[in-house]
């Protein structure tokens, strides 16, 4: 039915990325390179204590240091609580407003307590050492369970037992269903705190003018969110805040979704001094600014004799650290897309808790709660299969949703383009699943094993059911040389949004990919766009770009129709010409049409110069501002082959096969790159990444990449194979849905399952370090 | 210390000037060689009070000279320079060194110096372990002239060495190995730019009967505060005919000489278990080299 794909001329080709050359020659347009005349540099003083009240600050010596232009203390900061997250209105009740910038209570080690702007970063840093802060230390707690226990230190007023939010979602009657189950499995699965490790640090330059207007350059994922939060925090009208869209940023992965403290602090310092103020975080500061929340999941599953899910119960405890930030939304996405909606099961009950501790704050991170859920769900499925003798692939096939089923989250919609089963069977065949050995049966010191992990249901944007709050907009303007300019607020995080959106516009306009250029945008000049988050840009922004390009194309055909004396409906755009379909001689170039439409034009004739008789005049332009029609679900399956050294516990990844149900494949090389990067993050999460903290002081012990270990090119497998299984998503631009997050979610369970298959050791706590494997083998 | 609060930076042209500056600035001064570990030390608050750099790149000291007695390596020779010396690449006796030089990432190979790798007295570096196994001494210059210190006596503690306050390292000397020698080095790390969790190196000389005449077994990477030699393992190995069972026994023997540290990268138990595994693997690799493998 919807498995055949739309035929296209531009889409499906690995065209060169327009930003590629710029980036490999230094990337001068990264926000980190923004400098403005007279710019000051600011540094933040951070609390050494995890929980304390500030009883006094003396910054007089710092203010006198030559070169220091302004000092910012908590009393200079409007004490306006805010939630740094942009999210769908349906989750408004779960959003928590906190005082995030500087307040007189410190809730985590490293929280900013003062800032200095000076002519150089070195002077600013020196000045910080001259600020004297008196702290009254308060008792601190670093464990979510301990924080919920009676007598624990209260971290935020009004949060009973330090619980920020406590969602409960149930379908059917899980308790009764467990009674009927033939087998019951339970387990606790734990994940750690990790950082996205974007390459470009968080950095901003904020300038102000005499009218109190702000201009903001920042390495972040959401133009309009930054404007909204910044205006709110500073108590200013939004129209006084202009956020410039960076040409691209050096990675975000959700870690730059927070509208954190650097922009408000730089803004206040700029308003104080009348000069542009720059703040660039060190890697250490980045480590303590935003992380993927650790979640502990207790998962209980009831299974029937014939291997079907009968009942499920889960409790998830999320340690959000000192402020809720994204933790209140992550827990919901985790519960729904990480656990409840993964496979059909009639009777389910889930409880989530987002708990305050004096740990550093969490944030957004690719997958947004799903990796923590998938690690539990997909690990446990393999445990069930091992115990009951089911084949893990067959078991998942039997227990999954099918194309045409009602969407599990939004029953009014259907899983029209869903191809999860094809993903499973094709990837299983590619990896050689049928020749998989029994767990632990490989011989020798180094043992090999195969495992899989799935993300059966994911999103193409946030799920704002029943409405889809993923608004996007675009402007497409045709130039007189036959090219087009595209302008949108969707930020390219490095994952190729520029390329994809230009390709979609080109396809719609009948141009070549390199004839569409992504051009300047800021919050004053383009329509609203939701953040580059939630696997949404290709689908949601893509739909808006297609609509704007379609409008421009329609204008082009109307004008050309007048010139060719043909109906616009009979025209097509091809190779730079507008043609009457079926009569190739009747044609006019796009250049001609655009030129004539845009400006007064005189034609030479035998009777002398004649003005054009074109009635329609004006630049050929299209504009869209709209919400996407739906939120179709993509799916991803991954198989990995590992080799475990049974003497050292070290794991080597030998082979990786992914299969993705993504709708239309737009830019094959870009899609492969997404998956390779996703696997690297997922593999790091599975095996080594871990932000470490001093258990007594709560201070972050990971100061740089000597401590924080992530896979380098050397640890990566020689090749990551991606099978892209296309279908035509009826609501997507040219049939596209999404790709970007599931490839981060599935590696941890796939690797855990492969390790089990290799050596028979089940590790339920990430990262799966060599020590845990050796302990499992009884060698430690 | 933070790099932005540096007070002074000197580029002396002679060893004498270096000694003078060290005398003048005392604890405030630090020798700067390749500079690759400065951030690592500063970020961990291991440079308290340091605000003067004495950059020794103008001194020369970068030559690597082969003579009949052995190899003289200037302190300022880059790791990549050392790796390109054909004798080190080809002589099985120095195999441990070429193994160790395969570990650091290419940027470090091109910036880090041999002297810096030793002088830092960091137990997690690789060259000290390899040098201990193949036998090396360091050359220094100070207020009372130059001296030669056996590498075993050089390391005195975590990030501490036996250099006097106004003394610095000028080179490393390797003596020419006995015929019939081979060595190998093995490292355990989390990723390719990691420092060693544990490393081990074995050097051995075998006589015509196939018996081990002399052996040196060295370990590093947090099996102690300093890289060390295992007397117990060496004793067990010396005089033995090489059998297939021997490497595992030698690996076990190192337990008598190590006292592993626990930190956020590994527990003491894990380091202890790995010390035996890695010693065994290094020995097997050295034996393979001896018998003509590489
Ligand atoms: C990402 C990364 C990966 C690394 N991987 C490895 C690895 O795989 N294996 C490995 O062995 N090492 C590794 N290292 C460590 C690296 O080899 C050392 O940083 C380097 O050898 C130090 O030499 P340098 O010339 O840069 O010394 P510097 O950084 O200049 O100095 C280091 C210390 O030694 C002192 N010093 C330097 N030269 C002298 C001298 N001549 N006399 C007296 N004191 C002196 C300095 O005062 C300072 O205390 C790695 C480092 C990094 C940052």
């Amino acid at each position: 039915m919807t498995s055949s794909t739309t035929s296209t001329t531009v889409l499906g080709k690995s065209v060169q990325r327009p930003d590629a050359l710029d980036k490999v020659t230094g990337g001068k347009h990264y926000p980190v390179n923004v400098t403005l005349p007279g710019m000051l540099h600011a540094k933040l003083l951070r609390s050494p204590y995890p929980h304390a009240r500030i009883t006094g600050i003396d910054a007089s010596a710092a203010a006198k240091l030559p070169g220091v232009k302004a000092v910012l203390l908590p009393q200079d900061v409007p004490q306006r609580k805010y939630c740094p997250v942009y999210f769908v209105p349906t989750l408004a009740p779960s959003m928590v407003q906190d005082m995030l910038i500087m307040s007189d209570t410190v809730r985590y080690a490293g929280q900013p307590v003062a800032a200095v702007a000076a002519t150089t970063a070195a002077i600013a840093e020196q000045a910080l050492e001259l600020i004297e802060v008196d702290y009254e230390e308060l008792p601190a707690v670093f464990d979510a369970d301990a924080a919920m226990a009676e007598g624990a230190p209260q971290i935020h007023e009004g949060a009973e037992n330090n619980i920020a939010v406590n969602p409960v979602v149930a379908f059917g009657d899980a308790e009764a269903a467990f009674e009927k189950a033939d087998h019951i499995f339970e387990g606790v699965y734990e994940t750690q705190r990790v950082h996205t490790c974007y390459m470009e640090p968080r950095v901003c330059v904020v300038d102000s003018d005499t009218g109190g207007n702000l201009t903001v350059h920042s390495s972040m994922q959401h133009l309009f969110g930054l404007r909204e939060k910044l205006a709110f925090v500073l108590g200013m009208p939004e129209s006084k805040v202009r956020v410039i869209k960076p040409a691209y940023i050096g990675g975000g992965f959700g870690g730059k979704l927070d509208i954190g403290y650097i922009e408000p602090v730089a803004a206040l310092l700029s308003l104080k001094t009348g000069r542009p103020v720059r703040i660039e975080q060190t890697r250490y500061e980045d480590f303590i600014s935003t992380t993927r929340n650790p979640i502990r999941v207790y998962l209980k599953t009831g299974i029937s004799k014939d291997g079907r899910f009968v009942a499920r119960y889960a409790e998830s405890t999320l340690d959000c650290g000192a402020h809720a930030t994204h933790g209140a939304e992550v827990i919901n996405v985790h519960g729904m897309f990480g656990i409840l909606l993964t496979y059909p099961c009639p009777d389910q009950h889930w409880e989530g808790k987002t708990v305050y501790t004096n740990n550093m704050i969490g944030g957004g991170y690719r997958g947004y709660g799903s990796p923590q859920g998938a690690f539990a769900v997909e690990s446990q499925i393999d445990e069930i299969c091992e115990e009951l003798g089911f084949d893990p692939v067959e078991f998942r096939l039997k227990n999954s949703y099918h194309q045409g089923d009602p969407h599990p989250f939004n029953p009014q919609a259907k899983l029209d383009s869903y191809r999860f089963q094809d993903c499973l069977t094709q990837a299983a065949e590619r990896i050689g699943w049928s020749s998989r050995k029994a767990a632990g049966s490989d011989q020798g010191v180094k043992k090999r094993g195969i495992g899989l992990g799935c993300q059966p249901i994911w999103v193409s944007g946030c799920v704002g059911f029943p409405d889809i709050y993923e608004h996007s907009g675009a402007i497409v303007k045709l130039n007189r040389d036959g090219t087009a300019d595209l302008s949108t607020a969707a930020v390219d995080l490095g994952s190729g949004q520029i390329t994809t959106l230009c390709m979609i516009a080109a396809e719609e306009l009948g141009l070549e990919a390199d004839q569409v250029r992504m051009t300047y945008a800021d919050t004053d000049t383009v329509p609203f766009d939701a953040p580059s988050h939630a696997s949404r840009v290709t689908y949601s922004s893509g739909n808006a770009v297609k609509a704007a390009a379609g409008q421009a194309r329609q204008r082009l055909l109307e004008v050309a129709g007048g010139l060719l004396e043909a109906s616009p409906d009979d025209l097509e755009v091809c190779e730079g010409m507008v043609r009457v379909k079926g009569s190739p001689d009747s044609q006019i170039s796009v250049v001609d049409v655009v030129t004539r439409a845009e400006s007064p034009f005189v034609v030479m004739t035998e009777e002398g110069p004649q003005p054009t008789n074109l009635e329609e005049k004006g630049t050929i332009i299209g504009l869209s501002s709209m919400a996407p029609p739906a939120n179709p679900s993509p799916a991803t399956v991954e198989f990995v082959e590992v080799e475990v050294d049974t003497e050292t516990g070290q794991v080597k990844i030998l082979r990786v096969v992914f299969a993705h149900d993504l709708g239309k494949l737009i830019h094959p090389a870009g899609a492969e790159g997404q998956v390779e990067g996703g696997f690297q993050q997922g593999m790091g999460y599975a095996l080594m990444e871990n932000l470490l903290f001093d258990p007594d002081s709560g201070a972050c012990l990971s100061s740089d990449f000597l401590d924080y270990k992530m896979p380098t090119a050397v640890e990566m497998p020689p090749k990551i194979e991606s099978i892209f299984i296309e279908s035509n998503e009826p609501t997507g631009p040219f049939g596209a849905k999404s790709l970007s997050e599931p490839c981060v979610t599935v590696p941890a369970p796939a690797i855990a399952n492969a390790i089990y298959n290799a050596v028979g050791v089940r590790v339920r706590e990430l990262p799966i370090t060599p020590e845990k494997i050796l302990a499992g083998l009884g060698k430690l | 210390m933070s790099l932005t609060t540096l007070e002074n930076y000197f580029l002396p042209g002679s060893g004498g000037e270096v000694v003078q500056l060290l005398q003048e600035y005392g604890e405030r001064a630090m020798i700067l060689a390749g500079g690759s570990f400065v951030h690592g030390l500063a970020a961990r608050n291991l440079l308290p009070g340091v605000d003067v750099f004495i950059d020794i790149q103008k001194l020369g000291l970068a030559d690597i000279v082969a003579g009949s007695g052995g190899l003289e390596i200037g302190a300022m020779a880059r790791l990549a320079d050392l790796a390109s010396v054909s004798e080190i690449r080809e002589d099985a006796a120095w195999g441990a060194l070429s193994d160790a030089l395969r570990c650091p990432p290419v940027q470090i190979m091109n910036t880090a110096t041999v002297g810096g790798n030793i002088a830092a007295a960091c137990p997690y570096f690789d060259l000290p372990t390899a040098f201990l196994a193949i036998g090396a001494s360091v050359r220094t210059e100070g207020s009372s002239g130059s001296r030669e210190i056996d590498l075993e006596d050089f390391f005195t503690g975590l990030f501490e060495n036996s250099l006097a306050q106004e003394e610095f390292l000028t080179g490393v000397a390797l003596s020419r190995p006995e015929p019939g020698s081979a060595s190998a080095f093995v490292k355990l790390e989390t990723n390719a730019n990691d420092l060693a969790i544990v490393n081990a190196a074995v050097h051995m000389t075998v006589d015509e009967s196939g018996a081990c005449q002399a052996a040196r077994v060295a370990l590093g990477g947090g099996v102690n505060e300093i890289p060390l030699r295992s007397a117990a393992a060496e004793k067990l190995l010396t005089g033995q005919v090489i059998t297939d069972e021997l490497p595992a026994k030698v690996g076990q023997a190192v337990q008598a000489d190590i006292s592993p540290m626990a930190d956020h990268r590994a527990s003491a138990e894990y380091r202890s278990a790995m010390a035996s595994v890695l010693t065994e693997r290094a020995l097997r690799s050295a034996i393979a080299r001896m018998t003509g493998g590489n």
Side-chain angles (χ1 to χ4, degrees):
Chain A
M1 87 191 141
T2 47
S3 296
S4 68
T5 57
T6 324
S7 96
T8 51
T9 56
V10 174
L11 307 188
K13 291 185 191 147
S14 290
V15 302
Q16 186 180 321
R17 289 172 59 143
D19 51 338
L21 202 57
D22 201 23
K23 285 182 173 171
V24 297
T25 53
K28 63 180 168 193
H29 298 299
Y30 285 113
V32 78
N33 293 327
V34 171
T35 53
L36 297 178
M39 186 170 80
L40 301 175
H41 301 263
K43 288 275 173 190
L44 295 151
L45 181 68
R46 293 169 181 278
S47 163
Y49 303 108
H51 200 192
R53 203 165 294 123
I54 297 173
T55 52
I57 301 189
D58 180 359
S60 51
K64 280 188 215 122
L65 190 72
V68 169
K69 299 293 170 192
V71 176
L72 200 71
L73 303 177
Q75 61 258 35
D76 306 318
V77 175
Q79 296 293 303
R80 281 167 77 93
K81 293 183 174 182
Y82 71 107
C83 175
V85 184
Y86 170 88
F87 221 72
V88 292
T90 38
L91 277 178
S94 77
M95 293 172 86
V96 179
Q97 295 189 201
D98 277 337
M99 187 54 220
L100 296 173
I101 310 169
M102 285 179 199
S103 72
D104 48 21
T105 304
V106 166
R107 295 186 172 87
Y108 67 98
Q111 181 176 315
V113 296
V116 174
T119 48
T120 68
I123 295 174
E125 207 164 289
Q126 257 178 303
L128 295 184
E129 287 173 19
L130 302 175
I131 300 179
E132 280 179 29
V133 186
D134 297 323
Y135 295 95
E136 177 197 332
E137 277 187 77
L138 300 170
V141 59
F142 303 111
D143 172 79
D145 279 334
M148 287 188 287
E150 193 138 336
Q154 183 80 20
I155 299 168
H156 286 275
E157 260 172 53
E160 213 175 307
N161 300 322
N162 288 314
I163 297 172
V165 295
N166 186 10
V168 177
V169 182
F171 304 106
D173 183 347
E175 208 176 318
F178 273 111
E179 298 283 316
K180 288 183 263 153
D182 296 310
H183 308 278
I184 292 176
F185 291 82
E186 53 183 342
V188 174
Y189 304 84
E190 288 197 59
T191 56
Q192 76 281 32
R193 198 179 281 283
V194 290
H195 192 264
T196 70
C197 298
Y198 40 68
M199 279 218 251
E200 183 186 33
R202 289 198 69 143
V203 60
C204 71
V205 179
V206 182
D207 199 4
S208 58
D209 66 15
T210 46
N213 298 294
L214 296 175
T215 304
V216 184
H217 302 260
S218 170
S219 184
M220 47 77 225
Q221 297 178 223
H222 191 202
L223 247 53
F224 283 92
L226 177 53
R227 178 172 78 163
E228 177 203 318
K229 309 288 180 193
L230 194 52
F232 178 81
V233 168
L234 303 177
M236 289 169 69
E238 272 192 24
S239 61
K240 281 186 168 277
V241 179
R242 181 163 66 118
V243 181
I244 308 291
K245 178 183 167 182
Y248 39 73
I249 63 171
F253 311 104
K256 292 175 183 167
L257 281 172
D258 265 353
I259 316 306
Y261 41 75
I262 63 170
E263 291 89 358
V265 167
L268 289 165
L269 287 167
S270 176
L271 289 167
K272 262 191 159 185
T273 57
R275 291 169 67 165
V277 175
R278 179 176 190 273
I279 301 184
E280 177 187 328
Q281 295 204 145
T282 62
R283 182 57 64 178
Y284 178 75
E285 288 179 299
D286 272 325
F287 278 157
I288 60 166
S289 296
T290 168
T291 54
R292 179 186 284 149
N293 298 285
I295 303 183
R296 198 186 55 246
V297 180
Y298 164 74
L299 180 63
K300 179 172 148 190
T301 306
I303 300 286
S304 67
K305 265 206 255 342
D306 62 343
R308 285 185 189 277
F309 284 121
V310 174
R312 250 195 192 163
Y313 175 88
E315 279 175 30
S316 304
T317 310
L318 179 152
D319 171 1
C320 70
H323 298 282
T325 71
H326 287 257
E329 286 74 43
V330 166
I331 194 76
N332 283 289
V333 176
H334 159 82
M336 298 306 287
F337 290 87
I339 296 179
L340 296 168
L341 307 180
T342 50
Y343 297 91
C345 174
D347 297 287
Q348 306 194 64
H349 183 102
W350 169 78
E351 282 189 45
K353 288 193 186 76
T354 290
V355 184
Y356 291 119
T357 63
N358 293 109
N359 290 321
M360 60 155 298
I361 54 181
Y365 187 162
R366 217 170 162 186
Y368 214 75
S370 179
Q372 298 95 320
F375 178 59
V377 168
E378 296 290 314
S379 295
Q380 196 180 62
I381 289 178
D382 269 36
E383 292 174 47
I384 293 168
C385 291
E386 182 73 21
E387 176 81 20
L388 301 180
F390 295 121
D391 177 88
V393 171
E394 295 299 323
F395 183 91
R396 286 172 172 89
L397 280 173
K398 185 153 66 173
N399 277 293
S400 52
Y401 293 101
H402 289 79
Q403 191 172 29
D405 282 353
H407 193 285
F409 191 70
N410 178 0
Q412 287 162 11
K414 284 199 172 3
L415 292 171
D416 280 319
S417 54
Y418 191 62
R419 298 196 62 188
F420 177 63
Q421 279 84 6
D422 295 327
C423 289
L424 256 174
T425 49
Q426 291 189 28
E429 197 185 320
R430 177 81 70 88
I431 195 93
W433 179 255
S434 54
S435 53
R436 188 175 89 129
K437 295 182 183 160
S441 67
D442 199 13
Q443 297 302 306
V445 169
K446 295 183 178 174
K447 296 188 176 197
R448 294 182 173 196
I450 297 177
L452 83 158
C454 304
Q455 172 95 55
I457 295 281
W458 189 240
V459 298
S460 306
C462 280
V463 180
F465 172 70
D467 202 349
I468 310 296
Y469 296 93
E470 280 290 345
H471 301 59
S472 280
I475 299 170
V476 171
K477 182 165 79 76
L478 267 62
N479 298 314
R480 283 193 267 172
D481 58 7
T483 65
D485 285 345
L486 164 65
S487 156
T488 98
V491 179
D492 191 320
L493 315 182
S495 35
Q497 284 91 347
I498 296 172
T499 316
T500 305
L501 296 179
C502 286
M503 287 174 83
I504 288 172
E507 184 72 48
E508 183 70 7
L509 289 165
L511 301 179
E512 295 299 322
D514 63 3
Q515 290 178 301
V516 179
R517 181 182 59 167
M518 182 66 81
T519 185
Y520 179 89
D522 66 34
T523 47
D524 287 0
T525 57
V526 291
F528 178 88
D529 218 301
S532 297
H533 72 169
S535 304
R536 74 175 285 279
V537 174
T538 299
Y539 179 78
S540 304
S541 303
N543 264 323
V545 166
K546 183 168 185 285
Q551 220 181 65
R553 176 193 158 93
Q554 188 55 31
R555 279 276 298 143
L556 180 75
L557 298 186
E558 279 163 16
V559 175
L563 292 164
L564 294 170
E565 295 178 356
S567 155
D569 295 345
D570 295 334
L571 300 178
E572 61 182 4
V573 191
C574 189
E575 292 168 354
M577 304 300 285
V578 184
R579 290 182 190 152
V580 178
K581 286 180 208 158
S583 24
D585 292 343
S586 190
Q587 60 175 14
I588 183 169
S589 70
V590 172
V591 169
D592 266 0
V593 183
V594 177
T595 308
R596 290 202 198 185
E598 186 161 283
S599 56
F601 187 74
V602 178
V603 268
M604 302 301 153
T605 69
E606 283 177 15
E607 290 78 41
Q610 299 286 328
T612 55
N613 55 358
L614 205 61
E615 281 172 17
E616 301 229 35
K617 292 214 183 286
T619 297
I620 294 187
I621 193 164
L623 164 75
S624 68
S625 181
M626 56 193 272
N631 190 316
S633 279
T636 289
V637 171
E638 188 204 8
F639 287 82
V640 296
E641 185 178 6
V642 302
E643 183 180 82
V644 182
D645 185 328
T646 56
E647 288 179 350
T648 63
Q650 287 190 308
V651 177
K652 189 171 170 193
I653 308 289
L654 300 176
R655 212 181 150 198
V656 177
V657 175
F658 275 99
H660 315 268
D661 157 32
L662 81 171
K664 174 81 182 173
L665 175 60
I666 291 181
H667 187 250
E672 279 170 19
Q674 276 282 288
V675 175
E676 285 161 9
F679 178 75
Q680 188 201 22
Q681 289 187 313
M683 171 186 163
Y685 191 49
L687 296 176
M688 59 186 84
E689 293 186 37
N690 201 0
L691 274 174
L692 296 158
F693 296 86
D694 185 322
D696 299 320
S697 71
C700 180
L701 296 171
S702 308
S703 39
D704 51 33
F705 290 115
L706 274 180
D707 291 321
Y708 189 90
K709 288 293 147 199
M710 62 194 300
T712 71
V714 177
E715 287 74 47
M716 289 285 278
K719 187 164 163 32
I720 292 169
E721 297 164 60
S722 271
I723 306 170
F724 295 110
I725 297 178
E726 296 194 77
S727 60
N728 183 28
E729 167 51 43
T731 66
F734 299 101
K737 33 189 188 180
S738 73
L739 174 72
S740 92
E741 289 171 293
C743 51
V744 180
T745 298
V746 292
I751 290 169
N753 290 337
I755 290 171
Y756 181 84
N757 182 238
V759 294
V761 174
R762 173 61 61 188
V763 181
R764 296 189 185 85
E765 184 191 273
L766 296 183
I768 306 174
T769 58
E771 290 201 32
K772 291 178 191 167
I773 293 175
L774 275 199
L777 286 168
K779 294 186 177 178
L780 268 192
Chain B
M1 183 210 121
S2 134
L3 288 187
T4 51
T5 52
L6 201 63
E7 279 293 322
N8 232 325
Y9 176 89
F10 296 100
L11 258 176
S14 72
E17 276 177 67
V18 174
V19 172
Q20 220 172 7
L21 286 165
L22 284 170
Q23 275 169 332
E24 185 177 340
Y25 288 98
E27 303 265 300
R28 290 176 58 193
M30 178 179 130
I31 300 273
L32 187 69
S36 67
F37 208 48
V38 175
H39 165 79
L41 292 169
R44 287 158 187 76
N45 287 327
L46 291 169
L47 298 178
V50 171
D51 61 3
V52 173
F53 277 170
I54 305 171
D55 186 334
I56 58 170
Q57 61 175 302
K58 286 260 152 74
L59 299 192
L61 295 180
D63 293 340
I64 302 172
V65 184
S68 54
L71 206 60
E72 287 287 339
I73 306 163
M76 290 300 284
R78 310 280 151 174
L79 302 191
D81 300 336
L82 193 58
S84 69
V85 173
S86 57
E87 282 171 283
I88 290 175
R89 288 213 312 266
E90 285 152 22
D91 192 335
W94 285 337
L97 191 52
S98 64
D99 289 342
L101 286 165
R102 245 173 251 130
C103 296
V106 66
Q107 297 92 329
I108 295 297
M109 291 295 289
N110 290 334
T111 49
T113 65
V114 177
N117 198 288
I118 306 285
C122 173
Y124 312 109
F125 288 179
D126 296 324
L127 294 196
T129 306
F131 277 136
L132 275 179
I134 62 179
S137 56
V138 299
R139 299 194 188 283
T140 72
E141 185 175 336
S143 52
S144 43
S146 41
R147 49 175 188 147
E148 184 174 348
I149 310 170
D150 196 317
L151 190 59
E152 275 165 68
D153 304 322
F154 182 73
F155 303 110
T156 53
L158 203 56
F159 303 109
E160 280 170 17
N161 58 37
S162 54
L163 290 174
Q165 174 59 54
E166 69 301 325
E167 191 179 19
F168 71 104
L169 211 137
T170 54
V172 178
L174 304 183
S175 44
R176 199 145 285 287
E178 299 290 317
S181 301
S183 72
F185 165 97
V186 187
K187 171 183 184 179
L188 191 78
E189 57 186 355
T190 303
N191 70 2
N193 60 23
D194 203 4
L195 301 181
I197 294 167
V198 175
N199 59 25
V202 175
H203 180 279
M204 60 196 289
T205 309
V206 172
D207 65 19
E208 273 154 24
S209 71
C212 176
Q213 217 176 45
R216 274 194 298 269
V217 176
L219 294 120
V223 296
N224 195 320
E225 291 198 346
I226 57 172
L228 49 80
R229 280 175 63 180
S230 168
E234 291 175 2
K235 189 166 161 224
L236 185 67
L237 191 50
T238 312
Q240 296 287 314
V241 176
I242 309 297
T243 61
D244 200 40
E245 292 75 45
L246 190 60
K249 287 187 195 149
V250 173
Q252 281 311 314
V254 303
Q255 297 296 331
D257 296 310
I258 59 173
S259 40
M261 297 188 279
D263 56 30
H264 57 278
R265 303 190 320 132
S267 68
E269 295 74 36
Y270 183 67
R271 282 206 168 94
S272 158
M274 290 309 100
S276 291
V277 171
L278 264 59
T279 304
E280 177 185 343
R281 289 186 178 182
L283 178 51
R284 285 194 193 281
S285 169
I287 293 168
R289 269 196 187 128
M290 185 79 72
T291 50
N294 202 12

